[in-house]
Amino acid sequence: MGNNGNRVDPRTGAHPAQTASGRRRVLLLNASWEPLGAVAFHRAVVLLVGGKAELVAGEAEGRLLHSEHRVVPAPSVIQLCVYVHVPFRARAPMTRAGLMGRDRHRCVYCGARADTIDHVVPRSRGGGHGWENCVACCGPCNRRKADRLLEELGWRLPAAPSAPRGRHFGLLAGAVAPDPQWLPYLGEGAA
Ligand SMILES: [Zn+2]
């Protein structure tokens, strides 16, 4: 879409939406437009060529892929033609990157840039290591809080911490650098 930085490099095939190992990924949307996840590039091409999915966004001006039966634009976002019911999925495991993403890299206590993780109920006092008890925290707040409870400090949380919602969250928690073309389909979590 006129974004040169988003094109496949014709010599190397390099593309912004790559995993750390360099494999390109494609955003897969359900027929309901709900993001389902990132699939391998070759898997996306198989879905397209097999008529299981349609191209939503791709390298329209870029390289064309010559499959056995037809020619398709190199996809960035594809959509399943038929809705698939996705059963309840286990929530995302808590990771440092995921936690920082949820809290926008801001200390929940003072709003400064966060570079530590605070256990709201300290582990030494029985607090768990999970989404509900961990928050992004700046170093000074973390040191001041130490092993005390919020009530003992008179501190409050702006909101009860919880697991991030949205099946695509894991995509954005550091596992995959999202292709800019994905962002319109990922909703608020993409910011
Ligand atoms: Zn702070």
Side-chain angles (χ1 to χ4, degrees):
M1 305 257 282
N3 179 356
N4 287 330
N6 200 30
R7 300 253 184 92
V8 173
D9 184 312
R11 288 156 302 172
T12 64
H15 187 278
Q18 291 177 329
T19 62
S21 63
R23 287 174 299 130
R24 183 174 166 183
R25 311 286 282 183
V26 175
L27 179 65
L28 176 65
L29 303 176
N30 209 337
S32 58
W33 296 94
E34 182 182 25
L36 292 174
V39 298
F41 186 80
H42 76 267
R43 171 78 178 143
V45 172
V46 167
L47 289 169
L48 285 173
V49 172
K52 299 280 197 280
E54 291 183 353
L55 185 74
V56 174
E59 310 295 335
E61 305 139 45
R63 186 174 63 171
L64 295 179
L65 290 174
H66 294 262
S67 74
E68 197 175 337
H69 301 294
R70 51 187 269 221
V71 175
V72 294
S76 294
V77 182
I78 64 173
Q79 181 182 29
L80 291 175
C81 297
V82 176
Y83 178 82
V84 294
H85 176 69
V86 180
F88 175 79
R89 186 183 297 195
R91 61 195 199 152
M94 196 190 78
T95 62
R96 179 186 174 86
L99 188 72
M100 290 297 174
R102 183 195 69 180
D103 293 345
R104 310 282 186 206
H105 289 86
R106 293 285 161 199
C107 174
V108 297
Y109 302 117
C110 76
R113 181 155 186 89
D115 48 15
T116 68
I117 292 173
D118 176 55
H119 293 85
V120 178
V121 177
R123 303 207 77 178
S124 62
R125 299 173 74 163
H129 185 69
W131 291 113
E132 287 82 3
N133 192 47
C134 288
V135 292
C137 189
C138 72
C141 283
N142 210 335
R143 282 190 293 276
R144 282 177 63 201
K145 183 166 173 292
D147 62 350
R148 284 176 287 184
L149 299 172
L150 296 185
E151 303 88 275
E152 296 167 356
L153 289 153
W155 290 10
R156 306 184 71 172
L157 285 169
S162 62
R165 276 179 281 188
R167 293 189 178 91
H168 58 271
F169 186 82
L171 288 179
L172 303 174
V176 174
D179 183 328
Q181 291 201 38
W182 296 4
L183 300 184
Y185 307 99
L186 292 178
E188 58 183 349

